[in-house]
């Protein structure tokens, strides 16, 4: 059983082996699809499964898309120091489990964290050489179309997420080193894969 180590201990593992790759972007931009494609293309690259209090949609699977937990369970994870970062996004809590990350970094793997800008900043503070990529839509109109097409959220939720997108994008220009436009999926995936490969060769 792996021992959960402190922040300092985690930071210590960073320079030695694996690498964290943060992928963020507005809802509906295609982050999850891009992440799945990256994993198909590269060996030793894994996707972290976050914990959330958001209700599960019909298409989602517990343990694959997220670990769906109650507010109490989420708070317990925070209190026990089990989360690498956590944030409130559109009224629900989301967090990255620490244990698997430590394990994977120790094993020299690349771990993708699909998280929002608040979480990304927390991770970057502990792991300064985490690679930060932000996925942009080709236009606001196209993002609205994709969200509508996804059909996962109620109309008011979709609107809230679209409104949040511009603030998220504005913040991203400040903090992210790589901005990738997802106009053509394969091109966006190629770009992400190239960025990860170039960083892998530096470890
Ligand atoms: P969704 O509800 O659409 O799956 O995710 C909403 C937002 O929460 C997205 O921006 C997604 O990247 C972000 N998110 C997902 N998991 C995490 C996490 O573990 N931590 C943080 N900070 N954000 C997350």
């Amino acid at each position: 059983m792996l021992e959960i180590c402190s922040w300092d201990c985690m930071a210590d593992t960073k320079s030695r082996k694996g690498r964290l790759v943060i992928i963020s972007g507005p809802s509906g931009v295609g982050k999850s699809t891009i992440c799945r494609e990256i994993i198909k293309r590269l060996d030793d690259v894994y996707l972290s499964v976050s914990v959330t209090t958001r209700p599960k949609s019909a298409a989602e699977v517990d343990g694959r898309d997220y670990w769906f937990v109650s507010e109490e369970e989420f708070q317990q994870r925070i209190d026990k120091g089990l989360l690498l970062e956590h944030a409130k996004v559109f009224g629900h809590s989301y967090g990255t489990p620490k244990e698997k990350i430590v394990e994977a970094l120790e094993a020299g793997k690349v771990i993708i964290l699909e998280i929002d800008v608040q979480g990304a900043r927390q991770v970057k503070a502990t792991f300064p050489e985490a690679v930060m990529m932000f996925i942009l839509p080709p236009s606001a109109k196209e993002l609205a179309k994709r969200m509508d097409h996804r059909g996962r959220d109620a109309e008011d939720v979709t609107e809230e997420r679209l409104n949040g997108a511009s603030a998220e994008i504005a913040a991203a220009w400040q903090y992210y080193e790589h901005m990738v436009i997802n106009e053509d999926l394969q091109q966006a995936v190629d770009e992400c894969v190239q960025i990860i490969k170039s960083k892998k060769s530096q470890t």
Side-chain angles (χ1 to χ4, degrees):
M1 176 71 183
L2 189 90
E3 199 181 309
I4 306 289
C5 60
S6 69
W7 284 89
D8 286 350
C9 153
M10 287 190 72
D12 199 42
T13 62
K14 72 185 191 289
S15 51
R16 282 188 273 133
K17 290 175 180 166
R19 191 181 282 265
L20 293 176
V21 173
I22 296 167
I23 296 190
S24 308
S27 294
V29 78
K31 298 182 296 281
S32 303
T33 311
I34 290 175
C35 289
R36 279 198 298 271
E37 289 299 313
I38 294 171
I39 284 160
K40 276 192 219 158
R41 296 237 211 127
L42 294 173
D43 291 333
D44 272 347
V45 178
Y46 297 86
L47 185 59
S48 164
V49 178
S50 295
V51 182
T52 185
T53 60
R54 170 171 73 63
K56 185 172 87 58
S57 75
E60 289 174 314
V61 175
D62 193 33
R64 183 193 68 186
D65 300 290
Y66 283 105
W67 296 104
F68 294 93
V69 299
S70 65
E71 290 289 350
E72 291 74 19
E73 285 171 303
F74 195 90
Q75 190 55 48
Q76 278 171 14
R77 281 173 163 81
I78 296 174
D79 296 342
K80 288 180 184 163
L82 297 178
L83 300 180
L84 171 62
E85 61 70 38
H86 59 91
K88 207 73 168 196
V89 190
F90 303 121
H92 300 291
S93 299
Y94 296 81
T96 303
K98 204 187 268 184
E99 182 179 354
K100 297 277 182 214
I101 306 285
V102 180
E103 222 170 303
L105 283 178
E106 284 288 355
K109 291 169 183 163
V110 172
I111 306 114
I112 298 177
L113 310 181
E114 190 197 322
I115 61 178
D116 86 319
V117 176
Q118 306 168 75
R121 292 182 63 189
Q122 294 172 45
V123 173
K124 189 74 174 173
T126 313
F127 295 91
E129 74 279 75
V131 183
M132 291 177 80
M133 292 192 240
F134 193 89
I135 313 296
L136 289 164
S139 66
K141 201 171 157 195
E142 176 61 24
L143 184 65
K145 207 168 104 188
R146 286 184 195 173
M147 280 219 60
D148 200 39
H149 187 247
R150 179 165 81 161
R152 195 189 72 189
D153 302 305
E155 210 174 299
D156 56 334
V157 176
T158 301
E159 204 178 307
E160 186 193 6
R161 286 177 176 239
L162 282 173
N163 290 337
S166 40
E168 224 178 340
I169 292 170
W173 283 108
Q174 268 183 281
Y175 303 114
Y176 287 68
E177 46 209 327
H178 302 284
M179 303 294 272
V180 176
I181 299 172
N182 183 18
E183 180 155 25
D184 174 83
L185 176 66
Q186 284 318 314
Q187 257 178 32
V189 173
D190 283 347
E191 213 176 307
C192 294
V193 164
Q194 283 316 315
I195 293 166
I196 296 172
K197 273 187 175 169
S198 71
K199 302 290 176 180
K200 266 179 94 177
S201 63
Q202 289 167 16
T203 53

